[in-house]
């Protein structure tokens, strides 16, 4: 799929394709006869799922959250003040010097305001190898820019601006938080309580079990994976969880839930281009 195709749903690039997850969620909604009034994404990252649901009119309201302050800032500013990002895209020079500047900002985020962090997130995401904004990643084309693919090859200014305009139209439907998944879930539950007949779906996409420290700025240790499983095994709402295909993770959930295997092209290393599997776990009928 071309990068234009991928950008159909999100604006941030994130490792792993979410195509199968989107299709699964769509079919879960149909099979369980769910017309959602609330969709909750406590590990929002690149956010392709909530955007897909909004654009296809499958949900009324959305709560998204990420503990990474760069990711949070990006979504918050996109929905609150998209013109700032549009101006930034128009004016920024997409060069390795800018890359170094934004990499430095990302290494000391507490010193900067939310607008600067939002710009930094967008810049690094669209100019880094595989969209990885963790410190480990480098620019597309390498520091010397001798590859066929240069640093600006995924920074099509017109397309990015168009997408920001399209997505930001949904600002009145989206709440953006910078919280741990548990606080976000509690917050969403408190909203649901107020609306008695609310139909909601929680989509959990935590950091992968393998190599996640290379992919994300905020990651999970084994205890975090265990805590999430303990919570979800008792969670009474409609939920769906996706992970990389790790035996450790499958063991946590196996007692209670069907595990569905799906193949998702995993494109972090284009040279190797391994086909790894991602799993989906849910109490819902899929
Ligand atoms: C697998 S990624 C999510 C990918 C996303 N669903 C997408 O489609 O692009 C995991 C995300 O969880 C965030 N994260 C890590 N620990 C977290 C926590 N304790 N609470 C909330 N978010 C967390 C990371 O910053 C990262 O963006």
């Amino acid at each position: 799929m071309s990068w234009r195709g991928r950008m159909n749903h999100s604006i941030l690039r994130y490792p792993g394709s979410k195509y199968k997850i989107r299709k699964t969620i769509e079919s879960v909604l149909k099979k369980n006869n769910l017309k959602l009034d609330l969709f909750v994404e406590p590990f929002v990252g690149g956010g392709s799922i909530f955007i897909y649901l909004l654009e296809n009119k499958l949900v009324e309201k959305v709560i998204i959250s990420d503990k990474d302050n760069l990711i949070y800032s990006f979504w918050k500013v996109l929905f609150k003040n998209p013109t700032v990002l549009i101006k930034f895209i128009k004016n920024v020079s997409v060069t390795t010097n800018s890359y170094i500047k934004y990499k430095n900002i990302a290494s000391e985020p507490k010193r900067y305001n939310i607008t600067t962090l939002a710009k930094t997130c967008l810049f690094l995401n669209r100019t880094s190898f595989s969209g990885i904004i963790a410190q480990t990643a480098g620019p597309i084309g390498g520091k010397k820019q001798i590859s066929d693919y240069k640093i600006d090859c995924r920074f099509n200014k017109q397309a990015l601006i168009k997408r920001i305009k399209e997505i930001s139209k949904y600002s009145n439907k989206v709440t953006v938080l910078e919280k741990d998944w548990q606080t976000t879930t509690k917050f969403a539950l408190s909203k649901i309580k107020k609306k008695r007949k609310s139909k909601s779906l929680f989509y959990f996409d935590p950091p992968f079990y393998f190599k996640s420290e290379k992919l994300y700025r905020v990651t999970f240790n084994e205890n975090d994976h265990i805590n999430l499983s303990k919570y979800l095994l008792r969670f009474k709402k409609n939920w769906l969880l996706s992970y990389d295909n790790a035996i450790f993770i499958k063991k946590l959930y196996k007692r209670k839930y069907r595990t569905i295997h799906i193949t998702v092209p995993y494109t972090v290393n284009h040279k190797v281009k391994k086909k790894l599997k991602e799993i989906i776990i849910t109490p819902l009928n899929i």
Side-chain angles (χ1 to χ4, degrees):
M1 192 190 286
S2 73
W3 76 273
R4 269 173 191 280
R6 265 185 222 147
M7 210 164 65
N8 262 343
H9 299 296
S10 192
I11 176 154
L12 296 183
R13 308 170 55 228
Y14 241 65
S17 157
K18 289 284 172 263
Y19 176 77
K20 284 270 171 74
I21 310 279
R22 280 204 304 268
K23 289 290 150 202
T24 306
I25 289 184
E26 214 174 4
S27 104
V28 163
L29 296 183
K30 275 189 192 143
K31 280 196 182 161
N32 295 273
N33 200 16
L34 278 178
K35 209 166 173 243
L36 295 181
D37 38 34
L38 182 65
F39 178 72
V40 188
E41 214 178 331
F43 301 94
V44 69
S48 61
I49 306 292
F50 86 85
I51 294 170
Y52 178 79
L53 294 179
L54 281 171
E55 293 193 320
N56 287 282
K57 301 191 177 19
L58 293 167
V59 62
E60 192 49 41
K61 294 266 182 194
V62 165
I63 296 172
I64 58 171
S65 179
D66 203 290
K67 216 176 160 187
D68 181 338
N69 48 15
L70 253 60
I71 301 276
Y72 158 77
S73 304
F74 174 77
W75 290 119
K76 189 77 186 172
V77 171
L78 183 142
F79 287 114
K80 211 175 163 199
N81 195 359
T83 46
V84 167
L85 287 176
I86 290 169
K87 271 189 201 155
F88 169 69
I89 293 167
K90 278 184 188 157
N91 297 329
V92 70
S93 322
V94 187
T95 60
T96 49
N97 278 346
S98 304
Y99 191 87
I100 294 165
K101 172 182 160 188
Y102 290 109
K103 207 75 181 170
N104 287 336
I105 294 174
S107 69
E108 286 187 291
K110 293 220 163 81
R111 292 184 51 200
Y112 299 91
N113 65 26
I114 186 170
T115 310
T116 305
L117 296 184
K119 294 173 185 173
T120 302
C121 181
L122 179 65
F123 186 89
L124 291 180
N125 176 265
R126 303 244 39 127
T127 56
S128 293
F129 183 66
S130 277
I132 298 171
I133 60 170
Q135 279 306 112
T136 48
I140 301 171
K143 284 180 191 152
K144 293 188 180 155
Q145 293 289 292
I146 48 178
S147 149
D148 286 348
Y149 293 97
K150 306 290 183 218
I151 190 164
D152 61 352
C153 72
R154 291 187 186 272
F155 211 101
N156 178 328
K157 294 193 172 199
Q158 293 306 320
L160 286 171
I161 289 170
K162 181 169 177 274
R163 201 64 190 118
I164 286 191
K165 286 183 180 166
E166 286 165 357
I167 298 170
S168 61
K169 279 186 200 149
Y170 296 96
S171 64
N172 61 339
K173 294 181 181 278
V174 182
T175 302
V176 188
L177 306 174
E178 182 188 9
K179 301 285 183 202
D180 184 78
W181 65 269
Q182 219 155 343
T183 313
T184 306
T185 307
K186 275 186 200 147
F187 173 81
L189 290 174
S190 73
K191 296 281 165 202
I192 292 168
K193 255 189 195 168
K194 284 181 193 155
K195 276 183 99 185
R196 277 195 150 192
K197 285 189 179 165
S198 167
K199 284 198 177 159
S200 57
L201 177 66
F202 290 71
Y203 170 49
F204 296 90
D205 188 21
F208 285 165
Y209 181 71
F210 294 117
K211 292 189 192 161
S212 85
E213 62 292 341
K214 289 195 178 136
L215 303 177
Y216 317 115
R217 294 171 75 245
V218 183
T219 187
F220 256 31
N221 60 29
E222 281 201 359
N223 262 342
D224 294 321
H225 290 295
I226 293 169
N227 287 340
L228 177 62
S229 74
K230 283 184 181 162
Y231 187 88
L232 289 182
L233 290 171
R234 281 185 268 115
F235 193 46
K236 296 278 186 285
K237 297 292 172 193
N238 300 315
W239 59 267
L240 200 133
L241 168 73
S242 58
Y243 257 117
D244 48 344
N245 188 19
I247 291 172
F248 178 88
I249 301 296
K250 284 195 279 191
K251 276 190 182 161
L252 294 177
Y253 293 88
K254 209 165 74 182
R255 275 183 301 121
K256 205 164 168 186
Y257 292 114
R258 266 188 301 171
T259 301
I260 309 291
H261 297 259
I262 52 167
T263 304
V264 178
Y266 182 83
T267 54
V268 168
N269 188 339
H270 284 284
K271 280 183 197 150
V272 180
K273 226 179 183 185
K274 276 184 188 168
K275 279 202 163 186
L276 294 184
K277 282 178 177 174
E278 266 190 18
I279 55 174
I280 294 181
I281 301 162
T282 178
L284 292 163
N285 181 15
I286 69 175

